[in-house]
Amino acid sequence: MRWTRRQKLHQEELTVYQALGDQRERAVTLGDIIARIKVSKGEVDEAPKPHQEELTAYQALGDQRERAVTLGDIARIKVSKGEVDEAPKLHQEELTAYRLGDQARAAVTLGDIARIKVSRAAEVDEALKLHQEELTVYQALGDQRERAVTLGDIARIKVSKGEVDEALKLHQDRLTVFKPWATSASGR
């Protein structure tokens, strides 16, 4: 019942934005609220519909970054639905937009694509290259946490390829990032 009331309020919000001619806020409401509510309720088949309308609005506004974010949302929905073949195309389009200036989001998208490729045995080497590229971006940005997460992704690929010694080295490198945090969190 709580969701129904929320959805009704969001529908009213959409109507107000439509009347005001505020396409940006209408698009934000469609994607950030309505599509995500549908996903959280398990209505995954319905979630892409508001995102498609959101994409159209961002395209009309010329907002490539928000359009890219929406493409990523749609790609993740497709993966959750098992439509894995469509997701990398959407992520590639998303990646193109991010490479124009948002390196952190580009790195996240590289990781999304790599994880899809890992699920396909024939594309593991390609996934490894994408994670390496992702790692390079995080190193350049000085983002040690995401660098460590990516090292873990690479290590898991190495283990699957039987390269256990290399995987161990990566995990040890990864541990150096988390060890200071673990020590301060435990009060040592």
Side-chain angles (χ1 to χ4, degrees), residues 40-144:
S40 68
K41 286 178 66 178
E43 299 172 5
V44 182
D45 290 337
E46 293 180 36
K49 293 173 189 170
H51 278 314
Q52 289 298 337
E53 192 174 338
E54 182 185 15
L55 270 180
T56 302
Y58 288 135
Q59 184 70 33
L61 292 168
D63 190 334
Q64 293 305 309
R65 185 186 182 285
E66 289 304 319
R67 185 174 177 282
V69 169
T70 305
L71 286 167
D73 289 342
I74 294 169
R76 282 183 283 288
I77 289 169
K78 293 213 177 267
V79 168
S80 73
K81 289 172 59 176
E83 298 172 5
V84 182
D85 292 338
E86 296 177 42
K89 296 172 197 164
L90 293 167
H91 279 312
Q92 272 310 132
E93 192 174 345
E94 175 190 14
L95 185 59
T96 300
Y98 291 142
R99 288 192 186 225
L100 299 176
D102 192 339
Q103 293 303 307
R105 291 294 297 217
V108 168
T109 305
L110 286 166
D112 287 342
I113 296 168
R115 280 183 285 287
I116 291 168
K117 290 188 177 290
V118 165
S119 69
R120 301 173 180 164
E123 298 182 32
V124 173
D125 289 335
E126 200 173 325
L128 187 57
K129 289 177 189 173
L130 290 168
H131 278 311
Q132 292 289 359
E133 186 178 348
E134 177 187 14
L135 186 63
T136 301
V137 173
Y138 288 134
Q139 287 172 325
L141 293 172
D143 190 333
Q144 292 302 310

Side-chain angles (χ1 to χ4, degrees), residues 107-108 110-116 118 124 127-132 134-135 138 145-161 167 170-171 174 178:
V108 168
L110 286 166
D112 287 342
I113 296 168
R115 280 183 285 287
I116 291 168
V118 165
V124 173
L128 187 57
K129 289 177 189 173
L130 290 168
H131 278 311
Q132 292 289 359
E134 177 187 14
L135 186 63
Y138 288 134
R145 184 194 175 284
E146 291 303 321
R147 180 181 165 275
V149 169
T150 305
L151 286 171
D153 289 335
I154 294 169
R156 281 185 287 284
I157 292 172
K158 296 284 188 181
V159 167
S160 74
K161 294 178 71 168
L170 291 167
H171 279 305
R174 181 176 184 228
F178 291 119

Side-chain angles (χ1 to χ4, degrees), residues 1-9 41:
M1 184 175 228
R2 185 175 178 186
W3 288 112
T4 305
R5 182 173 180 190
R6 234 185 231 179
Q7 284 178 309
K8 183 179 179 188
L9 291 171
K41 286 178 66 178

